[in-house]
Amino acid sequence: MKILKLDTQIEVYSDVQELPEADQILLKAAKASLLNAYAPYSKFKVGAALRLSNDKVIIGSNQENAAFPLTLCAERVAIFAAASQFPDTPIQSIAITAKSGSQVLHQPVTPCGSCRQVIHESEFRFEQPIRVILHGETGEVYVLHSIKDILPLTFDANFL
Ligand code: THU
């Protein structure tokens, strides 16, 4: 038996102003996007904005349904919209943020497991890592150089 140790690297910025300008702009788009969330059930509004390699910015917000499992997360709304409109264009970066109905989010919001898997599919499809920018409402910003940093031992088409 041996132990397999996994290495995760996350850049931690003390606040939004410390980020490179392109990341600040994308995060701003994500924050504007969460205003379009339809979240009457959870009151948890999520905004995602992604920059494509053609420099276009595509936004998404969570869209809930009274039949709860039909809800779609902000990240997947944005990624699928981008893939539908620009099927041959890789995603360069994605910014994700949220606003809770019950607390102020002082820590970065991290994507759910399903969205991590969908972000990974896009990295795999275009053979290109995606920069992931995570923020709550205040405080630190996390930047990942690939979703693999928070989705180790990924499942992808190599197994099929
Ligand atoms: N949600 C997202 O939009 N993205 C995530 O990565 C996690 C969760 C949404 C789904 C639901 O509308 C609400 O947040 C509460 O789970």
Side-chain angles (χ1 to χ4, degrees), residues 28-97:
K28 216 172 177 182
K31 285 177 188 292
S33 172
L34 71 71
L35 300 176
N36 298 338
Y38 176 64
Y41 306 107
S42 72
K43 318 270 190 232
F44 188 78
K45 296 184 169 194
V46 185
L50 47 91
R51 187 187 307 283
L52 302 179
S53 63
N54 62 10
D55 230 30
K56 290 219 177 326
V57 171
I58 308 286
I59 58 168
S61 53
N62 53 328
Q63 302 296 321
E64 298 187 346
N65 195 285
F68 293 168
L70 299 188
T71 291
L72 256 196
C73 291
E75 298 90 322
R76 277 177 282 163
V77 168
I79 290 167
F80 294 151
S84 309
Q85 294 167 69
F86 303 98
D88 301 319
T89 311
I91 298 170
Q92 218 172 60
S93 49
I94 181 169
I96 302 164
T97 189

Side-chain angles (χ1 to χ4, degrees), residues 89-132:
T89 311
I91 298 170
Q92 218 172 60
S93 49
I94 181 169
I96 302 164
T97 189
K99 200 168 169 30
S100 165
S102 61
Q103 59 168 321
V104 179
L105 299 170
H106 296 294
Q107 65 289 317
V109 175
T110 49
C112 75
S114 299
C115 289
R116 292 178 202 203
Q117 180 69 21
V118 169
I119 294 169
H120 173 60
E121 184 74 25
S122 188
E123 289 191 346
F124 184 85
R125 172 179 181 179
F126 294 107
E127 298 177 336
Q128 193 174 299
I130 296 173
R131 184 177 174 86
V132 182

